Amino acid sequence: MTSPDSPTSVSARSCLAIVLAAGEGTRMKSDRPKVLHEVANRSMVGHVVATVMAVGATEVAVVVGPGRDDVAREARTIMPEAEVFVQRERLGTGHAVLSARAALEKKPDDVIVVYADTPLVSAETLVALRRPLAEGAAVVALGFEARDPTGYGRFIMAGDQILDIREHKDASEAERAITLCNGGLMAIRGDVALDLLDRVGNQNAKGEYYLTDIVAIARLQGHRTAAVTVAEEEVHGVNDRAQLAAAERMMQERLRHAAMAGGATLIAPETVFFSHDTKIGRDVVIEPNVVFGLGVVIEDHAVIHSFSHLEGARIAAGAAVGPFARLRPGAVVGPKAKVGNFVEIKNSQLGAGAKVGHLTYLGDATVGPEVNIGAGTITCNYDGFGKYRTEIGEGAFVGSNSSLVAPVSIGKGAYVGSGSVVTDDVPQDALALGRGRQVIKEQWATAFRQKSLEKKHK
Ligand code: UD1
Ligand code: CA
């Protein structure tokens, strides 16, 4: 048996990846097909297709159940050239693989079979699974030491040779004592794959065509077989919501480790939630309880303070965000800019060194460098029909509690008096005041109190 190692040795061999996604997923109790449920903001089938692409699959065949165009579409968002095959009846994993017969007939050098509901398998593992094929093996199976082997196929070994895989239901008591189990994924040499698969029968406890039977069949045909082992976590399959949550937990652990390995400080990593695509630079600090939605890029030396939620946002080098900030898609925070507490930003760009310290909503705004936005500033960007932009020039100062009624522009270096409702463009270096003038009535309160007391005691 060999262990996974680096993907750098991926061969130049052509590779067909068959992604089994025809499961019904009834235990999810969901209106959505199981493999469209997400882990770290990407569907499980999406993860698997991305992984097989990363190991150099030259062709991807996705096997879906009847009417599952949604699954096919999702796979194609990751790999537009993916071929889709429909498994009309669910007659077992061997039958499912054979649904992609047309792709197998092209006789690629390697075939890898992966499960769309097993999203944690790593690229390194798939490379390790392919390697024995280049060395002449016909079938390579992926095993793991199971904490609880119940339900899994067992590896029947002779030394480091794998002779057969016995499904739990077909296994004897002695075989059930084996803890080295089948993770399900396999690599098959393309020149013999169809021949081996066509020999699989369904004379077994489930009456199904078992993919696993090709190990013994290959040996009968005089071929070599091999086994590769991985940690149980990598072959964690998702059948219900609890297993989905476990997959999420493991994926988050990987993403946190990757962020830290890349030079980011996570003060309480277990409280930070990433998306599969979050990009984090060096010397970034992420405080506890931060959540990243899709499409976030954090450049070097930025700080994300606690309880912030970011999605589709770009944070430039040295910027600071939060605590309690919400950055929505299209938010771009410039170098060394500051976004403080209870600030929401959507589809807006903040120039270098700009400050939006407190209690503000910026939507559809362009904010120049070194602008200061006072507490409670709101861009009024929506009139129930259209969205309008607010432009704020370099070095402008917007006083607290101002409403900027878009479309509107504030010139460079201009001031907006606190509490203004700005409806007209403000020229460069001007002061805009858009509020009621203050009125003072001397001794009004004394008179008011006196009158009120008299009324009460009457
Ligand atoms: C399979 C393996 C078993 C292994 C286990 C690991 C076989 C015969 N058994 O068992 O050795 O320990 O996985 O989890 O392969 N699928 C289809 N069409 C079908 C049947 C299955 O697309 O007709 C898909 C399922 O959606 C799933 C995968 O293939 O993604 C595995 O099928 P499943 O029925 O869960 O196999 P197990 O019985 O768990
Ligand atoms: Ca299963």
Side-chain angles (χ1 to χ4, degrees):
M1 269 180 283
T2 48
S3 295
D5 52 15
S6 85
T8 50
S9 52
V10 167
S11 64
R13 294 161 66 88
S14 65
C15 177
L16 163 68
I18 300 179
V19 180
L20 301 190
E24 279 154 17
T26 43
R27 278 185 279 161
M28 294 295 282
K29 307 230 169 72
S30 174
D31 294 338
R32 260 203 283 180
K34 173 169 77 174
V35 298
L36 294 188
H37 283 263
E38 293 182 350
V39 174
N41 288 319
R42 173 182 257 176
S43 69
M44 291 194 275
V45 67
H47 277 287
V48 172
V49 172
T51 307
V52 298
M53 285 177 72
V55 299
T58 41
E59 214 176 319
V60 173
V62 185
V63 177
V64 302
R68 283 271 77 107
D69 299 343
D70 43 7
V71 175
R73 235 178 291 121
E74 171 67 7
R76 284 183 168 145
T77 62
I78 314 289
M79 193 192 197
E81 318 83 68
E83 280 187 89
V84 176
F85 296 91
V86 178
Q87 187 190 18
R88 306 239 158 257
E89 275 178 292
R90 245 177 143 267
L91 302 180
T93 48
H95 179 263
V97 171
L98 273 174
S99 306
R101 180 179 290 278
L104 288 161
E105 275 167 353
K106 294 185 207 160
K107 300 221 184 301
D109 295 326
D110 296 353
V111 176
I112 50 178
V113 178
V114 291
Y115 294 173
D117 64 2
T118 304
L120 292 159
V121 65
S122 70
E124 290 78 2
T125 293
L126 294 184
V127 168
L129 204 61
R130 285 181 67 189
R131 187 165 303 112
L133 298 183
E135 295 159 6
V139 176
V140 190
L142 183 65
F144 66 100
E145 277 297 334
R147 276 182 296 267
D148 174 10
T150 312
Y152 292 113
R154 309 298 208 283
F155 275 14
I156 312 293
M157 305 291 295
D160 63 355
Q161 294 289 302
I162 179 164
L163 306 179
D164 200 354
I165 300 175
R166 188 83 67 246
E167 289 307 299
H168 183 88
K169 280 200 172 161
D170 300 289
S172 65
E173 276 310 305
E175 287 166 340
R176 285 186 182 179
I178 296 170
T179 53
L180 182 58
C181 289
N182 179 28
L185 318 194
M186 279 203 184
I188 317 167
R189 224 170 62 217
D191 57 343
V192 295
L194 255 186
D195 178 59
L196 298 177
L197 288 160
D198 275 332
R199 290 173 193 270
V200 172
N202 64 353
Q203 303 297 305
N204 52 52
K206 280 175 140 180
E208 284 188 0
Y209 294 88
Y210 291 162
L211 170 64
T212 44
D213 280 356
I214 65 170
V215 171
I217 292 170
R219 294 189 71 84
L220 273 174
Q221 302 292 313
H223 295 301
R224 267 206 312 114
T225 53
V228 168
T229 53
V230 285
E232 182 160 8
E233 151 186 331
E234 273 204 49
V235 289
H236 172 79
V238 173
N239 299 302
D240 57 31
R241 307 266 181 169
Q243 289 169 338
L244 181 67
E248 181 74 40
R249 178 171 49 71
M250 293 186 263
M251 189 69 85
Q252 289 299 338
E253 258 160 42
R254 282 189 196 174
L255 293 168
R256 292 163 189 151
H257 273 109
M260 292 187 280
T265 292
L266 272 55
I267 294 168
E270 66 282 6
T271 68
V272 175
F273 292 83
F274 291 107
S275 272
H276 70 94
D277 63 347
T278 310
K279 294 197 173 55
I280 308 281
R282 278 165 64 106
D283 290 314
V284 164
V285 175
I286 302 172
E287 290 186 352
N289 297 301
V290 172
V291 176
F292 294 94
L294 284 174
V296 176
V297 178
I298 312 283
E299 293 178 6
D300 297 351
H301 298 280
V303 180
I304 312 299
H305 295 291
S306 286
F307 298 102
S308 294
H309 189 286
L310 296 83
E311 183 185 359
R314 176 169 208 106
I315 313 300
V321 169
F324 297 98
R326 176 164 185 220
L327 300 191
R328 292 168 52 202
V332 178
V333 178
K336 299 201 168 146
K338 285 200 163 39
V339 173
N341 44 255
F342 308 109
V343 171
E344 174 180 342
I345 300 181
K346 182 216 77 171
N347 189 29
S348 297
Q349 300 77 44
L350 249 58
K355 291 189 179 66
V356 190
H358 341 260
L359 300 155
T360 288
Y361 171 61
L362 294 181
D364 306 302
T366 307
V367 177
E370 304 300 333
V371 164
N372 194 305
I373 306 272
T377 297
I378 305 287
T379 53
C380 310
N381 60 322
Y382 184 52
D383 61 6
F385 296 94
K387 298 273 167 74
Y388 304 96
R389 289 203 73 84
T390 301
E391 314 267 349
I392 304 176
E394 177 169 358
F397 189 102
V398 177
S400 295
N401 201 35
S402 294
S403 303
L404 310 177
V405 183
V408 74
S409 76
I410 293 161
K412 283 186 185 175
Y415 269 67
V416 171
S418 299
S420 291
V421 176
V422 179
T423 52
D424 297 327
D425 289 353
V426 181
Q428 186 172 331
D429 294 317
L431 167 67
L433 288 171
R435 63 190 186 212
R437 210 167 245 295
Q438 185 170 321
V439 174
I440 300 286
K441 298 188 176 180
E442 295 286 355
Q443 292 305 313
W444 179 92
T446 318
F448 172 75
R449 273 191 297 269
Q450 209 158 14
K451 226 191 306 170
S452 301
L453 279 171
E454 280 166 13
K455 219 190 278 175
K456 195 172 165 189
H457 293 136
K458 236 201 282 183

